[in-house]
Amino acid sequence: MALPNIDRYMVPKYMSDLYMSYYGSQSCPPGWLYGPAMRDHYLYVLVMNGRGQYRVRDRDYPIAAGQAFVLFPGELAMYRADDLEPWEYTWFGFNGELVNVFLTQAGIDVDHPVITHLQPDRLHRLFGELFGYEGGDERRDELFYTGCLSSMLAEICRGENRDGRSGERGQGEQYILQARSFIQQHYDKNIQIQDVASYVGLDRSYLSKLFKTRTGISPYEYVMSLRLSKGKQLLQETDLPIEHIALLLGFKDTFHFSSFFKRKAGQAPLHYRQRQWSKE
């Protein structure tokens, strides 16, 4: 049975660190071509049936059912359905401040964009839930879409890259998952890299190097990215005083929070809040 042609869009409003923008499915005619084109966000494409070819950075990747590929922001790419066995695929567009952290951790980047799913039925089920969802309430809808995206990314990160890199990364990924989990639970406290290393059970310097290699940022930078993301959310969605937000995020006073926020966001917290509220 051919996949239905579905193309649905949503406008994320509350989530900034991880959000889904649109999703759909398509049964392609023989030789159907997309691109060359460039996007300002990530796109995940899962092949359900048939086959085709994906091209990025002058390299061609043959793709078959059970495999997927990722398009990256700012990268010129194209993909084409096979002439004899044209593919049917599903997709979703996504973005956010944490996307690169998750994909890098899983070994997925523009030079390694193909994932082979050993259990694609898990993703088929998640796409089924996505296509069957009937929205209507803005906040509830965004929570659903973000939750669905998180589940899908968890499955994507379980996949195996074509070059086998994921097998080599198993133990290291486990350490990074534990470190990230610890940081996510305690980023609002005065945690040090030694605290994270002790929790994971690794030497401090080794963990720092491993974390930077796998995620592209240091543990400290990860802590601060979480604080910035949460700070933006609190400024936009609450009327808490700036000094209260500073304390909730683990800053010792308003001055340190304001200085950090202005350096990273390009404007003072109060100005950021006023601009966000004026858009609503």
Side-chain angles (χ1 to χ4, degrees):
M1 180 177 178
L3 281 177
N5 290 339
I6 298 174
D7 202 0
R8 297 176 182 166
Y9 291 78
M10 66 282 298
V11 181
K13 182 177 180 181
Y14 303 105
M15 307 295 184
S16 61
D17 54 353
L18 189 66
Y19 58 87
M20 183 181 293
S21 300
Y22 59 92
Y23 60 91
S25 63
Q26 183 173 353
S27 294
C28 298
W32 188 90
L33 176 68
Y34 170 84
M38 186 181 297
R39 298 171 178 266
D40 62 357
H41 56 274
Y42 297 85
L43 178 68
Y44 168 85
V45 181
L46 172 65
V47 178
M48 310 291 279
N49 296 294
R51 61 184 63 250
Q53 189 173 71
Y54 172 49
R55 182 176 181 82
V56 65
R57 289 192 174 180
D58 297 322
R59 182 175 176 183
D60 294 319
Y61 299 88
I63 314 290
Q67 292 184 305
F69 55 94
V70 178
L71 281 72
F72 289 79
E75 294 288 344
L76 191 66
M78 61 181 290
Y79 44 97
R80 182 181 185 277
D82 187 75
D83 291 326
L84 299 179
E85 298 179 62
W87 52 19
E88 300 176 329
Y89 51 58
T90 56
W91 71 81
F92 61 83
F94 62 113
N95 215 337
E97 298 172 2
L98 295 180
V99 171
N100 187 56
V101 174
F102 292 133
L103 295 183
T104 300
Q105 174 188 312
I108 302 167
D109 55 40
V110 69
D111 294 314
H112 305 87
V114 179
I115 307 105
T116 298
H117 291 291
L118 302 181
Q119 296 179 298
D121 287 350
R122 295 174 180 267
L123 278 155
H124 296 175
R125 176 179 55 80
L126 289 169
F127 269 107
E129 293 179 4
L130 189 60
F131 294 146
Y133 178 72
E134 296 184 5
D137 177 85
E138 189 177 61
R139 280 184 176 270
R140 180 172 62 86
D141 291 351
E142 191 156 346
L143 285 171
F144 170 81
Y145 290 128
T146 303
C148 196
L149 173 59
S150 297
S151 297
M152 287 177 157
L153 285 177
E155 289 301 320
I156 291 169
C157 292
R158 285 164 54 96
E160 182 175 285
N161 287 86
R162 290 176 57 86
D163 60 8
R165 292 196 310 160
S166 59
E168 303 170 2
R169 303 168 72 93
Q171 188 61 54
E173 284 184 11
Q174 200 60 37
Y175 287 132
I176 299 304
L177 284 172
Q178 293 174 8
R180 287 183 57 254
S181 177
F182 181 84
I183 293 172
Q184 288 168 2
Q185 295 178 51
H186 302 287
Y187 72 90
D188 57 340
K189 304 177 181 66
N190 186 30
I191 57 172
Q192 306 295 320
I193 181 58
Q194 184 58 55
D195 299 320
V196 185
S198 297
Y199 174 78
V200 174
L202 292 178
D203 175 76
R204 177 183 180 279
S205 59
Y206 178 72
L207 174 63
S208 295
K209 182 178 180 180
L210 181 66
F211 198 98
K212 181 68 177 288
T213 299
R214 299 297 172 86
T215 67
I217 59 176
S218 69
Y220 174 77
E221 290 171 325
Y222 183 60
V223 170
M224 302 314 285
S225 72
L226 289 175
R227 289 181 173 180
L228 178 64
S229 177
K230 186 63 175 180
K232 288 181 176 179
Q233 182 182 350
L234 291 172
L235 287 166
Q236 181 175 344
E237 299 179 16
T238 75
D239 58 359
L240 286 172
I242 304 299
E243 55 266 31
H244 291 184
I245 293 177
L247 295 175
L248 284 172
L249 297 177
F251 292 91
K252 59 184 180 181
D253 55 43
T254 306
F255 172 78
H256 285 87
F257 169 61
S258 297
S259 177
F260 161 77
F261 192 92
K262 186 172 183 179
R263 186 170 67 254
K264 294 296 184 180
Q267 54 190 313
L270 184 58
H271 292 161
Y272 177 86
R273 167 177 277 171
Q274 291 171 340
R275 290 190 63 180
Q276 295 303 311
W277 284 5
S278 66
K279 297 176 182 178
E280 298 181 358

